[in-house]
Amino acid sequence: MKKILLFAALFSGAVNAATLSVGNNLELLVVDGKEVKSGRFSHAESVELSEGEHQVVVRFDGEVKRGSKKVIYTTRPYLFDVNMTSQDAEITLPRLTSESQAKAYFARDPQWTLETATGSTTLSAVELIGDGLGAYSDIPALVAEYNKKNGIIIENGTPVDLQKTVVEVDDKTGKVQITGDALTQLKLWYSKASQEEKKTFKIWMAEHDFS
């Protein structure tokens, strides 16, 4: 399958950019909250990214054997935090050739690997699970909902876990302490608010003089 190198505006100005690609039968879906556009007859398989942390969503979507026939097997999306360096990197899985093999592999905890010229690391993956009919028709919306529930925002092209930033737990005592500045705490609560709550907050802001 021919790889598509995408230079989206989001990544075009990156300094020390490197290529993140995915292995055979893998599809690159969302990067830093933005959908990665695929070709008409082929998957999106690579993108240019700056150095640092990026939130990447990938799924297996490929041809496998079912007896003597060939069928398309598609998984749910999987989300990763990928730390890009100046080296090109590739997200890979073991080679899966049959439908039964693929189903068995993804039924347990699948091992995703990030490979570079100097070595490989195992990625910590989150399987995104949607609800209802057409749950996976809008993957960016599914990612946005996951980020909202988990207090994650994409800031300057980098995923920021606000809960880790403003909540500190003592390993010995288990005591929870709210940390971080007021702006970071505001971002956390705003990221978790519903659209109606955000609307109400904006009205409240407009009714007060904060200048």
Side-chain angles (χ1 to χ4, degrees):
M1 186 181 293
K2 185 178 180 181
K3 291 189 175 182
I4 305 169
L5 188 59
L6 301 170
F7 294 94
L10 179 63
F11 315 115
S12 60
V15 178
N16 297 327
T19 300
L20 175 67
S21 59
V22 292
N24 190 42
N25 288 338
L26 297 182
E27 181 180 12
L28 192 58
L29 298 170
V30 178
V31 174
D32 297 332
K34 303 293 184 181
E35 181 180 11
V36 182
K37 298 294 185 181
S38 60
R40 186 176 179 184
F41 300 109
S42 57
H43 293 158
E45 295 180 342
S46 61
V47 68
E48 291 287 297
L49 294 176
S50 61
E51 291 186 40
E53 290 286 334
H54 294 276
Q55 188 185 70
V56 179
V57 180
V58 173
R59 70 180 170 194
F60 181 94
D61 183 31
E63 193 175 72
V64 293
K65 291 182 180 180
R66 180 192 291 167
S68 59
K69 297 180 180 180
K70 291 184 178 180
V71 296
I72 298 298
Y73 181 75
T74 304
T75 68
R76 291 172 175 149
Y78 286 81
L79 181 147
F80 317 90
D81 285 329
V82 175
N83 185 24
M84 289 294 292
T85 66
S86 58
Q87 292 184 318
D88 293 342
E90 183 180 31
I91 297 174
T92 64
L93 283 174
R95 189 164 177 259
L96 303 172
T97 58
S98 70
E99 184 180 43
S100 59
Q101 182 188 29
K103 284 183 176 180
Y105 188 77
F106 286 102
R108 54 185 187 271
D109 186 22
Q111 296 299 302
W112 299 79
T113 303
L114 184 70
E115 298 184 355
T116 66
T118 56
S120 62
T121 56
T122 300
L123 292 171
S124 178
V126 174
E127 184 180 14
L128 298 178
I129 302 176
D131 295 319
L133 187 65
Y136 303 100
S137 60
D138 190 344
I139 304 299
L142 191 62
V143 174
E145 183 63 24
Y146 169 84
N147 285 342
K148 177 181 175 181
K149 288 180 178 178
N150 290 277
I152 297 170
I153 62 170
I154 306 297
E155 195 165 70
N156 299 322
T158 300
V160 179
D161 189 335
L162 292 173
Q163 293 186 127
K164 289 183 178 178
T165 303
V166 302
V167 179
E168 186 177 280
V169 181
D170 190 295
D171 292 335
K172 294 182 179 179
T173 65
K175 184 180 179 180
V176 177
Q177 180 180 359
I178 303 299
T179 62
D181 56 30
L183 178 59
T184 303
Q185 293 184 38
L186 282 170
K187 287 178 180 179
L188 172 63
W189 292 116
Y190 192 80
S191 71
K192 287 180 168 294
S194 66
Q195 290 302 316
E196 187 61 31
E197 288 169 336
K198 289 177 180 179
K199 182 180 178 181
T200 302
F201 180 69
K202 289 176 181 178
I203 293 172
W204 179 82
M205 289 272 300
E207 291 175 345
H208 292 73
D209 183 11
F210 294 99
S211 59

